[in-house]
Amino acid sequence: MPNLSNEISNSIKDAYQKQQVLNISAGKTKQFYGRNINAKSLSLTEHAGIIEYEPTELYITARSGTPLAEIEQMVADHNQILPCEPPRFGDNATLGGTIACGLAGPRRVSAGNVRDCVLGTEIINGKGETLRFGGKVMKNVAGYDVSRLMCGALGTLGAIMSISIRLLPKPEKEETIAITIDCTTAIDKLNQWAKTPMPISASFYDGSELYIRLSSSESAIKACKKSIGGELINNHGSFWNGVKEQTHAFFKTDKPLWRISVPSNTRLLNINGDSVMEWNGALRWYSTNEDQKTVRTEAIKAGGHATLFKGGVTDQIFHPLPKVSFDLHKKLKQVFDPANILNPGKMFTEL
Amino acid sequence: MPEPISTPDLANQFCKVVPKDAVLTRDEQLMPYECDALTAYRQLPRLALLPSSIEEIKAIVKICNEYQIPIVARGAGTSLSGGALPHKDGILLNLAKLSQILEIDTQNRTATVQPGVRNLAISEAAEPYGLYYAPDPSSQIACTIGGNIAENSGGVHCLKYGLTLHNILALKILTIEGEVLELGGKNLDSPGYDLLALMIGSEGMLGITLEVTVKLLPHPHDKKVMLAAFDDIQRAGDAVNGIISNGVIPAGLEMLDQLTIQATEMYCNPGYPSNAAAILICELDGFDEELETQVELVKEILNEHQAIEVRVAKDKQEAELLWLGRKASFPALGNLTPDYYCMDGTIPRKHLAHVLESISNLSKKHGLRVANVFHAGDGNLHPVILYDANISGELEIAEKLGGEILELCVTVGGTITGEHGVGVEKLNQMCVQFSEAEISTFHAIKAAFDEHELLNPGKAIPTLHRCAELGAMHVHQGKLPHPDLPRF
Amino acid sequence: MQTSFTPEFIQTADGERVNKILRKCVHCGFCNATCPTYQLTGNELDGPRGRIYLIKNFFEDNNANASKEIASKHLDRCLTCLACETTCPSGVQYGELIDIGRKHINTSLERPVLSKIKRKLILNIFSSSKRTSMLLAITRICKPFLPTTLASKIPAKINLPRHSSSQNEPHTTFTRKMFTIKGCVQNAAAPQINLATKKALESSGIQLDEINSPCCGALAHHLTELEHAHSTIRKNIDYWHQMLTSEYNNLLINSSGCSSFIKQYITVMQDDNDYAEKAKFISERCIDLSELANELTVNTSLDKNKTIAFHSPCTLQHGQQINGKIEEKLKQAGYSLVKVIDSHLCCGSAGTYSLLETDMSSKLLKDKVTNLQQYQPDIIATANIGCLMHLQSATKIPVKHWIELIA
């Protein structure tokens, strides 16, 4: 696959000179995420290919346009996984888009966030300069941690060119059990279990059933099943895929979908609408017509924040930032993109 | 620029906001603050301040901002890279008195603490609830969480449990403008840019940590510690790769070379096979049931790689004994030499044998012994250069040798610092690892937070001028511009 | 650590020692983590690493008059609890270093008159059992008129039983013969401890005789009254050496502060050509009572249905590195021991420290008592008279020498 760094760099240099705003994208599977922007498209899809994969070193380096599916297949062949289990939301999902959106999947609770597994990135900033931060090794504290700053920045700080990701060995075995339980008890149980060394790698509560995925050796899973109880489910792979890719029945809704991130022990939120819960209770999804003020107030009360993930008409997708933080965001944007041409307005109106 | 203020006048200003005995003014009082755990660099600050509350810190920072006085924040002063070296025109802000544990939230499994709380004190406070704080730098008994944030400290167990970065949930930061920036929360993510990640490891140059919320983990069910000896260091390195490629992530995986083994045997007698060229110490943890199978698997792998001896500790005492030598390896090496200089490069593990051989050549070239203690699992190498600071010129040779070792790490695709930070020590090597545009970006980030460069100025990021003067060759992606030229 | 002493200094006996000790220190700062005073002030100067630096600077540049004052203030604040030595990974002999530092800095420093008088008074009263008794008698009479903070420091008068009420038959034949000293403060404030010790030993087959040595010399040594200390020590050595070379196997000490110091005679007297050899002999023959713990017969008539918080004196756990022996004995006797948080930290007694550095000492005492009382024990036990009295002044829970719970 081609290395299009120079072409992309030239396009951005050109745009910088002409003050031409760019909409950086690749597989367009997560276009719904963030604010709509009107700008010239700069696609990174063609800038693809795995640059280096060292199974024994536990990392892979790939260009941003590389399909996530290709990477996941490649590492699966060596019995490894991407720790954060990122959703694809479509066949064309790329590694670059995954990093730029920073969305983690069900394994977040046991294996960390997207940024937690990023080791290094190469980016092109808003002046067309190619910059490399981080590296390929897990322990690396030279310079500010710019590569992780790129995670979830929605391409507003630079076009991500390549990424090195830390990998994990695939668990020896995974099984999922379902328990019929009410919501409060589910929250209590999840937090109780989280205080034990049980190998719970994912959890999902749909309003009546609590699903627990165990990832470990066969014998360890057996012991945990005994102490947790519940019933083993079939086809658990496709079940978790449904949760991750939001093809689960709950997500098939016409109402706006809110993603609410709260401390895991938070009680039931006072929001009308349907809801499900992931990440030991730390991630709550609501499909609701409640106005954004109500939703956000509830999230703040719980010590968290709310994102209008899909649908709705509000201009404010992400939780508004306090002034001191927002001022720093604007200054950082200036550092990387002085002409304000990279995905401007994708995150907040002024970013 | 405001009018320059005399040091006595400045001290008077501070005496209005903190008790008089919290303002250290005399040289004799400042002397013990002239360095941290890297004594090769020393500098007296103008004043040292010992605030005991957030309010006092805010008042101090306000004065510093007004008069443009540099601030170097300091926790326990255990940095090995000179991160807390004072600034000659600035004040030293000692945060050791902010040592309260504010909350242990057992439900959400978090601890909220002040910056001067010691790393180990967090785990001790969480112990009654069966929880602990995972990152365990070897100075964990003394080092503060504020310092850990500044350096993104690692430790023996970060192969499995991550660095400081992976274990911090929230920070309260005081900006140089005097505003409180709240980052993260007890939840798992935040809107906007990941300033939390940017702040961790920023060596105190972007803000002053006022409060920290860390993630607490349950203790693993059980642990097993094993030792494997090899008569060839390459085989030991291969065994490490073998373990990891077989899907095992040990909680800790450490390697000691022959000189270190001999030093520890003399120092504390942990019972290491002294004929070995290298030993591995491997700690596995997990659920009882999975642990047994893992131990068997690792044993098999070690034998496959021709370990001359494999030992599994039978009980806690034996396990502690196996760790003892590793933990005592620095003082043990200290017994062989009046002074030592500990380096901190990280390399992709596959280059281990090559790097160790090159280090040994560099050691011969400069005439100083180098011992190697190695976080083998994550490729973090600690070459320890043995020298005598009382012999004129030896420190300079040690520094030169150290610099060359770090540059070697960069050439094989690694980094100049895995967990100790750049501080003042590795500024020159930063020029090797980063390009001019990258270093400019770092400076711009610094300016976004701290326009007048008052927070720990001069650390971590070299000036472009310095790099130019040094004529250092920036190494691109592990490849030197002209790899055929001999350099070391 | 790099040092730059003048060749003249390094050639002196102390200079050589200082240099040797300092060269071991790598300035890692671990020692501060377990230093009680550093924990309180957070000031580098109040931790071992800072004090080491102060001493180093003093010897590298000892012209500066000002530096003596500051150095002396922070050296005075050191409890000499030696928790730092337990923590130090490099084996820095801080105790020896600070003794040398204090010797040189204090002798070249003129203390304020009031401070001098205070120190002389302390030395003269407490190094004598008689004078301590007198002081106690007077203060006990005045107790109702004293402020409570002061009144709480006065131990209650102990009425000793006329006859030993041991349930255990004393041995008639003894396997070993030891002697102990009457001592200074303990004999006046808590004479029952020596009685209990005698009882415990003699029912376990060890004869114990009490001799009339007034003080081990620690008090004067802590106050850096070295001439006074050395003259006391010489007298003791002469007396004890004779005892130990005749019929006695060991010198047994039940107050860890004293046993710790007598074991240090070997270093304290190393430059005294006439006494160095004998001092070594005494140090080697001195044993702390805890070292016999597992041999002692337990008095069956005592009520063991009690919970105990054990405070291990610094002179025991750090000074002599004796750990767990007493706790094990108490458990084996049938008591239950409660957990004590931060058990490595000093209670603030530290010899004369509680009288000289009252502010720091009372803070440490408060923290220590809080930690000892956390699990509401019935009794607090310890192994040193200084700690015992100090702790008792701040708690209603009875504080006892552990031997009182065994004999």
Side-chain angles (χ1 to χ4, degrees):
Chain A
M1 292 297 265
N3 177 355
L4 300 180
S5 298
N6 288 339
E7 287 82 345
I8 295 164
S9 164
N10 287 337
S11 307
I12 295 179
K13 269 183 203 151
D14 192 43
Y16 172 61
Q17 272 149 18
K18 294 183 187 148
Q19 305 272 307
Q20 162 84 60
V21 295
L22 298 171
N23 183 356
I24 306 164
S25 66
K28 293 194 193 286
T29 54
K30 290 178 274 290
Q31 285 282 300
F32 64 86
Y33 187 59
R35 299 176 70 253
N36 284 324
I37 55 167
N38 200 355
K40 184 184 164 194
S41 174
L42 173 67
S43 174
L44 305 183
T45 325
E46 299 296 313
H47 181 66
I50 293 167
I51 298 170
E52 201 181 358
Y53 174 37
E54 294 274 357
T56 59
E57 303 278 335
L58 286 180
Y59 75 83
I60 188 164
T61 307
R63 298 199 182 100
S64 49
T66 317
L68 197 52
E70 185 186 329
I71 291 171
E72 288 189 309
Q73 185 58 52
M74 167 85 99
V75 303
D77 290 345
H78 290 86
N79 257 325
Q80 293 181 343
I81 54 169
L82 299 191
C84 56
E85 204 178 5
R88 297 182 194 169
F89 297 132
D91 296 340
N92 298 330
T94 61
L95 179 62
T98 302
I99 303 305
C101 291
L103 294 168
R107 208 180 296 275
R108 165 69 180 96
V109 278
S110 67
N113 220 339
V114 175
R115 65 98 135 137
D116 290 334
C117 64
V118 167
L119 300 173
T121 52
E122 178 183 306
I123 62 162
I124 297 177
N125 69 9
K127 292 190 279 188
E129 294 170 327
T130 301
L131 309 169
R132 293 172 198 89
F133 300 101
K136 299 180 278 195
V137 288
M138 183 181 145
K139 280 166 111 178
N140 184 355
V141 294
Y144 301 129
D145 200 343
V146 178
S147 53
R148 292 191 172 99
L149 190 64
M150 296 298 141
C151 295
L154 295 173
T156 58
L157 297 177
I160 299 173
M161 290 289 98
S162 68
I163 305 107
S164 293
I165 296 274
R166 174 174 151 87
L167 304 169
L168 279 182
K170 192 175 162 211
E172 190 184 318
K173 194 177 170 68
E174 300 205 305
E175 278 187 347
T176 299
I177 42 183
I179 312 159
T180 312
I181 204 172
D182 68 83
C183 183
T184 312
T185 320
I187 295 171
D188 286 342
K189 286 273 182 202
L190 284 167
N191 282 288
Q192 236 169 53
W193 290 328
K195 270 187 267 182
T196 73
M198 277 198 284
I200 295 176
S201 69
S203 59
F204 183 77
Y205 182 68
D206 68 4
S208 61
E209 298 280 319
L210 175 63
Y211 298 86
I212 302 286
R213 183 174 68 190
L214 296 161
S215 308
S216 184
S217 67
E218 185 156 6
S219 50
I221 290 179
K222 203 170 149 197
C224 294
K225 277 195 300 200
K226 220 167 148 188
S227 79
I228 292 178
E231 296 291 322
L232 209 63
I233 69 163
N234 294 324
N235 299 328
H236 87 119
S238 65
F239 173 80
W240 291 109
N241 202 50
V243 170
K244 180 180 76 156
E245 300 298 345
Q246 303 195 340
T247 53
H248 182 278
F250 166 81
F251 296 99
K252 290 176 183 150
T253 168
D254 298 332
K255 292 182 201 160
L257 179 65
W258 285 88
R259 179 189 186 276
I260 303 177
S261 163
V262 288
S264 63
N265 194 43
T266 304
R267 305 287 99 184
L268 202 57
L269 297 170
N270 192 14
I271 298 170
N272 288 319
D274 297 329
S275 77
V276 293
M277 187 163 79
E278 281 189 77
W279 297 2
N280 287 341
L283 184 61
R284 317 271 167 106
W285 295 97
Y286 275 83
S287 92
T288 174
N289 283 322
E290 289 260 38
D291 62 275
Q292 69 153 313
K293 196 172 161 227
T294 312
V295 178
R296 293 200 195 279
T297 310
E298 271 298 296
I300 293 171
K301 266 200 281 181
H305 67 95
T307 309
L308 181 54
F309 196 71
K310 243 181 195 175
V313 285
T314 175
D315 200 36
Q316 184 85 51
I317 302 292
F318 297 100
H319 214 80
L321 300 171
K323 188 177 177 299
V324 46
S325 173
F326 196 61
D327 286 349
L328 281 168
H329 275 68
K330 284 191 283 190
K331 286 186 190 167
L332 282 173
K333 172 77 171 163
Q334 271 290 312
V335 169
F336 287 92
D337 180 19
N340 198 25
I341 55 166
L342 305 176
N343 285 0
K346 186 78 188 164
M347 188 181 269
F348 295 101
T349 24
E350 292 169 78
L351 285 183
Chain B
M1 269 304 269
E3 281 290 298
I5 181 169
S6 75
T7 302
D9 287 348
L10 187 62
N12 284 337
Q13 291 283 327
F14 289 127
C15 285
K16 288 179 198 159
V17 297
V18 293
K20 213 168 164 246
D21 61 1
V23 183
L24 307 186
T25 55
R26 294 164 61 164
D27 279 2
E28 310 91 77
Q29 293 174 308
L30 299 174
M31 206 77 96
Y33 286 99
E34 69 179 1
C35 61
D36 50 28
L38 181 68
T39 53
Y41 296 84
R42 295 187 290 267
Q43 172 64 54
L44 281 188
R46 279 173 82 176
L47 299 167
L49 303 178
L50 283 82
S52 47
S53 71
I54 303 286
E55 277 55 49
E56 288 180 2
I57 299 175
K58 286 182 181 168
I60 291 167
V61 169
K62 188 161 178 260
I63 293 169
C64 290
N65 196 31
E66 187 180 333
Y67 293 99
Q68 304 275 293
I69 306 295
I71 303 171
V72 177
R74 167 180 163 126
T78 55
S79 169
L80 292 169
S81 60
L85 180 77
H87 190 281
K88 70 175 171 40
D89 300 322
I91 60 148
L92 189 75
L93 188 65
N94 181 349
L95 300 177
K97 264 178 123 170
L98 281 100
S99 58
Q100 278 181 52
I101 293 179
L102 303 170
E103 183 200 48
I104 303 279
D105 179 346
T106 58
Q107 288 307 307
N108 287 302
R109 304 164 305 283
T110 65
T112 302
V113 305
Q114 291 191 314
V117 170
R118 293 176 300 116
N119 173 302
L120 190 61
I122 302 176
S123 289
E124 283 168 357
E127 179 59 41
Y129 312 102
L131 300 168
Y132 77 110
Y133 174 63
D136 57 346
S138 59
S139 58
Q140 73 172 150
I141 186 176
C143 62
T144 64
I145 192 72
N148 290 177
I149 302 286
E151 305 293 333
N152 190 13
S153 306
V156 165
H157 290 98
C158 57
L159 174 60
K160 186 164 182 178
Y161 296 102
L163 306 158
T164 301
L165 171 90
H166 302 101
N167 290 279
I168 298 297
L169 292 168
L171 289 178
K172 249 186 219 169
I173 300 288
L174 184 66
T175 68
I176 189 67
E177 309 288 342
E179 285 174 303
V180 176
L181 177 64
E182 297 199 27
L183 303 174
K186 286 182 183 174
N187 53 341
L188 296 177
D189 49 31
S190 304
Y193 298 147
D194 199 338
L195 299 186
L196 189 65
L198 186 64
M199 198 57 71
I200 297 169
S202 62
E203 305 204 13
M205 294 174 69
L206 304 182
I208 295 166
T209 304
L210 299 179
E211 198 179 292
V212 185
T213 300
V214 307
K215 185 162 91 178
L216 299 176
L217 297 181
H219 284 291
H221 248 196
D222 201 7
K223 291 179 188 177
K224 286 276 180 221
V225 180
M226 29 203 322
L227 171 142
F230 296 86
D231 56 10
D232 177 62
I233 206 150
Q234 172 80 51
R235 283 197 198 113
D238 291 346
V240 170
N241 283 345
I243 292 169
I244 286 165
S245 60
N246 270 283
V248 180
I249 302 284
L253 187 53
E254 303 282 306
M255 192 192 288
L256 310 183
D257 74 354
Q258 194 164 33
L259 183 53
T260 314
I261 298 168
Q262 286 164 354
T264 50
E265 267 311 302
M266 275 197 295
Y267 182 73
C268 59
N269 204 5
Y272 294 159
S274 51
N275 58 336
I279 58 165
L280 287 179
I281 295 167
C282 175
E283 180 177 302
L284 297 165
D285 69 8
F287 222 67
D288 286 344
E289 288 75 5
E290 70 177 314
L291 202 51
E292 283 309 318
T293 38
Q294 282 205 351
V295 169
E296 286 312 310
L297 177 61
V298 171
K299 256 202 227 161
E300 215 172 276
I301 298 164
L302 292 168
N303 286 325
E304 257 169 42
H305 287 88
Q306 297 166 42
I308 51 172
E309 188 186 340
V310 178
R311 236 188 269 167
V312 183
K314 280 191 279 299
D315 50 30
K316 217 178 147 197
Q317 278 77 22
E318 252 191 68
E320 274 169 11
L321 193 64
L322 289 186
W323 268 121
L324 178 72
R326 163 62 186 92
K327 288 185 175 160
S329 46
F330 291 101
L333 289 165
N335 246 15
L336 299 183
T337 171
D339 300 276
Y340 61 77
Y341 186 33
C342 176
M343 311 311 297
D344 172 45
T346 306
I347 54 166
R349 283 183 311 267
K350 62 178 171 185
H351 297 300
L352 178 64
H354 162 66
V355 168
L356 290 180
E357 200 193 316
S358 306
I359 289 177
S360 146
N361 291 338
L362 288 171
S363 155
K364 280 182 207 129
K365 180 179 121 186
H366 291 286
L368 290 179
R369 287 182 295 170
V370 181
N372 286 286
V373 184
F374 185 40
H375 299 301
D378 39 39
N380 188 197
L381 195 61
H382 290 311
V384 181
I385 303 168
L386 313 183
Y387 73 104
D388 184 342
N390 280 8
I391 296 177
S392 156
E394 271 213 355
L395 170 64
E396 290 70 23
I397 299 174
E399 283 185 312
K400 189 159 188 332
L401 169 54
E404 288 177 18
I405 290 174
L406 295 186
E407 284 159 28
L408 171 69
C409 293
V410 180
T411 34
V412 300
T415 175
I416 57 171
T417 173
E419 56 182 356
H420 294 171
V422 174
V424 285
E425 180 206 15
K426 305 178 197 80
L427 283 170
N428 288 346
Q429 286 72 35
M430 282 292 281
C431 308
V432 179
Q433 190 165 334
F434 293 99
S435 72
E436 193 181 311
E438 287 149 7
I439 287 173
S440 300
T441 304
F442 290 144
H443 284 299
I445 291 171
K446 165 82 173 156
F449 282 83
D450 175 21
E451 194 188 337
H452 301 293
E453 294 193 35
L454 298 179
L455 296 169
N456 213 7
K459 307 282 172 63
I461 317 292
T463 58
L464 290 174
H465 178 72
R466 182 186 185 122
C467 292
E469 214 164 55
L470 198 72
M473 197 94 55
H474 166 231
V475 181
H476 168 63
Q477 294 267 313
K479 292 183 190 72
L480 277 168
H482 302 285
D484 46 318
L485 296 176
R487 279 173 216 283
F488 301 113
Chain C
M1 201 192 295
Q2 189 176 11
T3 53
S4 54
F5 298 123
T6 58
E8 295 80 49
F9 176 68
I10 295 194
Q11 274 153 23
T12 65
D14 280 347
E16 196 191 329
R17 277 175 210 136
V18 166
N19 194 47
K20 201 171 149 220
I21 296 169
L22 283 171
R23 296 293 278 139
K24 274 201 161 186
C25 174
V26 297
H27 211 251
C28 67
F30 287 18
C31 50
N32 283 352
T34 53
C35 173
T37 53
Y38 180 80
Q39 296 304 305
L40 284 182
T41 71
N43 187 349
E44 185 77 18
L45 282 77
D46 289 322
R49 184 171 64 170
R51 293 188 184 112
I52 290 173
Y53 225 79
L54 288 170
I55 295 169
K56 178 171 105 84
N57 284 336
F58 171 79
F59 286 123
E60 281 177 347
D61 169 33
N62 63 7
N63 315 319
N65 234 330
S67 77
K68 283 175 208 158
E69 239 173 75
I70 303 250
S72 157
K73 176 179 157 191
H74 293 285
L75 296 193
D76 280 352
R77 276 194 189 171
C78 169
L79 296 139
T80 331
C81 70
L82 303 187
C84 51
E85 280 198 10
T86 303
T87 309
C88 177
S90 305
V92 173
Q93 287 155 306
Y94 172 85
E96 197 184 339
L97 181 69
I98 194 164
D99 276 349
I100 301 172
R102 278 174 172 154
K103 180 166 92 187
H104 290 262
I105 294 170
N106 290 355
T107 47
S108 65
L109 176 86
E110 194 61 11
R111 284 185 188 277
V113 180
L114 271 179
S115 161
K116 267 202 278 192
I117 296 175
K118 192 174 176 186
R119 295 170 80 95
K120 283 268 184 252
L121 267 177
I122 290 171
L123 178 59
N124 284 318
I125 292 171
F126 294 107
S127 60
S128 146
S129 162
K130 239 187 229 161
R131 285 188 290 266
T132 309
S133 296
M134 266 167 63
L135 178 73
L136 283 177
I138 297 165
T139 49
R140 277 182 191 130
I141 295 166
C142 304
K143 197 169 176 178
F145 312 105
L146 293 173
T148 45
T149 46
L150 203 59
S152 67
K153 306 266 182 224
I154 304 163
K157 190 168 168 38
I158 304 285
N159 290 312
L160 294 179
R162 272 163 194 270
H163 304 288
S164 159
S165 60
S166 171
Q167 299 294 310
N168 301 11
E169 274 303 305
H171 276 254
T172 42
T173 51
F174 295 113
T175 53
R176 273 169 292 171
K177 215 170 157 185
M178 301 186 184
F179 72 95
T180 190
I181 57 172
K182 242 192 178 138
C184 42
V185 176
Q186 180 166 300
N187 186 43
Q192 76 279 14
I193 297 173
N194 267 8
L195 282 183
T197 306
K198 186 175 171 67
K199 195 168 126 191
L201 258 64
E202 299 203 334
S203 63
S204 314
I206 304 169
Q207 183 185 330
L208 185 71
D209 295 331
E210 188 182 72
I211 62 159
N212 221 341
S213 282
C215 176
C216 63
L219 206 59
H221 193 260
H222 288 165
L223 292 164
T224 334
E225 294 288 346
L226 296 185
E227 263 171 51
H228 190 299
H230 288 182
S231 115
T232 308
I233 292 170
R234 276 187 217 108
K235 267 184 230 157
N236 286 343
I237 291 178
D238 285 336
Y239 188 179
W240 301 345
H241 191 266
Q242 184 202 336
M243 310 262 308
L244 288 169
T245 46
S246 57
E247 51 188 319
Y248 292 93
N249 301 86
N250 292 99
L251 163 59
L252 178 100
I253 300 290
N254 56 19
S255 201
S256 64
C258 309
S259 56
S260 178
F261 186 70
I262 295 169
K263 288 179 180 182
Q264 277 176 54
Y265 276 14
I266 181 172
T267 33
V268 175
M269 302 305 284
Q270 62 185 334
D271 293 335
D272 187 323
N273 289 337
D274 298 333
Y275 280 85
E277 200 55 38
K278 282 187 193 165
K280 182 166 174 271
F281 178 75
I282 303 282
S283 287
E284 284 165 0
R285 287 295 182 92
C286 172
I287 52 176
D288 185 83
L289 180 58
S290 60
E291 295 173 81
L292 294 178
N294 64 354
E295 296 179 39
L296 299 181
T297 312
V298 178
N299 181 349
T300 47
S301 69
L302 292 171
D303 177 12
K304 314 283 182 351
N305 196 14
K306 302 218 184 279
T307 55
I308 295 174
F310 181 67
H311 167 65
S312 180
C314 300
T315 43
L316 191 70
Q317 59 168 326
H318 304 305
Q320 301 180 63
Q321 294 288 325
I322 296 175
N323 286 293
K325 286 193 157 64
I326 297 169
E327 293 92 320
E328 214 166 279
K329 183 69 189 178
L330 291 170
K331 270 191 250 171
Q332 184 217 324
Y335 297 100
S336 32
L337 265 70
V338 299
K339 200 178 165 206
V340 181
I341 296 165
D342 285 343
S343 59
H344 62 281
L345 289 184
C346 177
C347 65
S349 167
T352 54
Y353 192 91
S354 58
L355 302 168
L356 294 167
E357 300 286 337
T358 45
D359 184 38
M360 204 74 98
S361 168
S362 56
K363 279 183 196 152
L364 290 169
L365 177 62
K366 195 169 152 250
D367 290 348
K368 178 52 76 182
V369 167
T370 309
N371 284 334
L372 285 167
Q373 290 180 341
Q374 176 154 27
Y375 298 101
Q376 288 118 24
D378 299 316
I379 299 168
I380 294 171
T382 186
N384 183 42
I385 182 66
C387 308
L388 188 149
M389 289 167 65
H390 193 56
L391 291 171
Q392 191 66 82
S393 73
T395 179
K396 292 201 165 63
I397 298 173
V399 185
K400 292 187 179 295
H401 190 287
W402 66 276
I403 198 67
E404 297 178 77
L405 303 171
I406 297 292

